[in-house]
Amino acid sequence: MVCIQNALIIKSLNKGKYTMVRDNNTYFPSSEWLENAHVNSIDKYNEIYEESIKGPDQFWASVADRIDWYKRWDKVSDVDYNEAKISWYLNGKLNVSYNCLDRHIDSGNGDKTAIIWEGNDPSEDKKYTYSELLVRVKKIANVLKSLGVKKGDRVCLYMQMIPELSIAMLACCRIGAVHSVVFGAFSADSLRDRINDSSCKILITQDTGVRGVKNNIPMKENADKALTNTPSIDSVVVVKRTGVDIEMVSGRDVWWHEETINASEDCEPVEMDSEDPLFILYTSGSTGKPKGVLHTSGGYLVYASYTHEIIFDYKKNDVYWCTADIGWITGHSYIVYGPMSNGATTIMFEGVPNYPDFGRFWDVVDKHKVNQFYTAPTALRALMKEGNTWVESKNLSSLRILGTVGEPIKEPEWKWYNKIIGKENCPIVDTWWQTETGGILISPLPAATPTKPGSATLPFFGINPVLLSDEGEEIKGNNTQGLLALKTSWPGQMRTIYGDHKRFFDTYFSQFRGYYFTGDGAKRDKDGYYWITGRVDDVLNISGHRIGTAEVEGAIGKANGVAEAAVVGFPHDIKGQGIYAFVTLMTGVNSSERIFESIISSVVKEIGPHAKPDKMQFAPALPKTRSGKIMRRILRKIAENDVDSMGDISTLADPSVVESLIKGSIQV
Ligand code: 7RM
């Protein structure tokens, strides 16, 4: 059990300031306005945490009352990790769109702003109240119904950050359809594979997209390419975002604005079972094609809603901004479902941090008086590098809580965030979680948990993290390190990999029986604080985007002349991790600018521009064991330029390969 006490003396010495450095680099919450926080002391955290672990079903039953149920559940949970069987709120009935819209209108908050949409161009923004949003959701829901969408059908959403994306998501849950959002930077090939894996019936996309200096991202054109080979798609709904000329395929494509104009404004929400699928979201693993992570309705919504309120200390009149893209889980849980189920005002940002200049984030904070700001360390590093003048002229006094997600945050950017952005008056919540977990699992509570730069600190209520040895033994006690696993379930946990339950079991539950294995390593310090050390598998984290090495290798392998490729990560100043590709060419093929270009374009075609290698080394051979397995450990060392501590290479079939790789590590 954690026993860090609130530092009362520090608090009075440091009046008005929220955080303050104390010895051991620990920062203590200490401002007057935090006394009204939902959880306002470490003692209270400890008390609730203990209760949640002792009686999980009782705890999660009381939490679930925060949302509206048509019928309450018969049983809180039914979980067996040995069978990969996970159910929460059994036989409970609800509708997620009702909980995110109608409920707030019924309670008199229909005129409250639900979404503030901030366009890529600073002169463009729009506000939607809860009532306005509901009308739009009902209309497009009726359009989907008229196109033949029924409960359980999959609908693919391939869009940039435009309001219609959130509206389409909520429309899907209103009628029981399962959305699968595909990040707008993915290529046509990636889109095609995702559509086919879950046999989506409808695709919703937009003409073209705008993002930073790019003002014509060919969304519809990419979609058309993907759709040459997607037998399950019946219709395409196209949002007019930029108005540029695009081709419409007659009999297949319809315009969003034309279809919705006369669509009915009546659309009753469908009663859904707790365990009815809510959405699929593809994520990369260490092997094979991306997995369709499936989340269900009841448990996911309860968890997203509760964590959003407690971890961001969200209060009724707050303006909350998460800068993620909805194409990733962070956007699903903490732009759409968490905030909207709480009746919050949530900002949706179409642009990027450096357009029109490096002050954009802070302009938006000032313009909309943002109270909670949630972003990725990679964005902070990129902005920190540009100096403080972009921040100093901005009024950031509305900020109360700062958050980070996606990758470990290191001390320099943590301190910059605290001092330059938070003015030492905003706690930082470093939130650790995954697509699979549905919501945040390890994080400080802003007014309760003393923070240490770089540590995600302590488990959220009801979360039971453990560290395992390679043999699967639980490592007890503090001051230790191991593989991060979860011993018990929580309502937001994924339920299966779409269409492949065996893979679900194999990926997460087979290596260590009775645990959910995260794929991350972690340290636990003397105070019981968790420090995530990163993935222990072959998953890369590039600017907070999750990419499997196998996917990149596959894409490189498709370029002409390539015999074999191995991809590893290396430390990158801005991206956190960069992609280093080792490529062996076919006999008789020489490395050239042309082959380099064709490899890059193959990656862009197969995956998308975000998966482009940062460095490429052409190598005569790759280091392999006698059984033919590539020894990535060695490649990682070379990529990290840490060649003095290569470790044991005696198991290599040909140890001389290593020497030539080191010699050849002059990178393009
Ligand atoms: C939410 C999200 C998951 C992987 C995860 C970690 C890494 C995420 C943190 C972090 C250190 C953090 N989902 N990760 N948050 N590492 N500190 N606060 O990112 O599925 O896309 O990625 O991201 O390795 O396993 S994700």
Side-chain angles (χ1 to χ4, degrees), residues 283 328-330 404-409 430-436 456 518 520 532 534-535 541 544 546:
T283 196
W328 308 106
I329 190 69
T330 305
T404 68
V405 58
E407 45 168 337
I409 180 165
D430 170 358
T431 64
W432 174 85
W433 58 295
Q434 309 178 296
T435 308
E436 293 88 336
T518 65
D520 279 319
I532 311 300
R535 303 287 306 193
N541 192 327
R546 202 168 138 173

Side-chain angles (χ1 to χ4, degrees), residues 397-416:
S397 61
S398 58
L399 288 175
R400 200 168 90 229
I401 283 146
L402 303 174
T404 68
V405 58
E407 45 168 337
I409 180 165
K410 290 184 240 28
E411 206 167 310
E413 61 258 26
W414 196 101
K415 289 189 162 162
W416 184 79

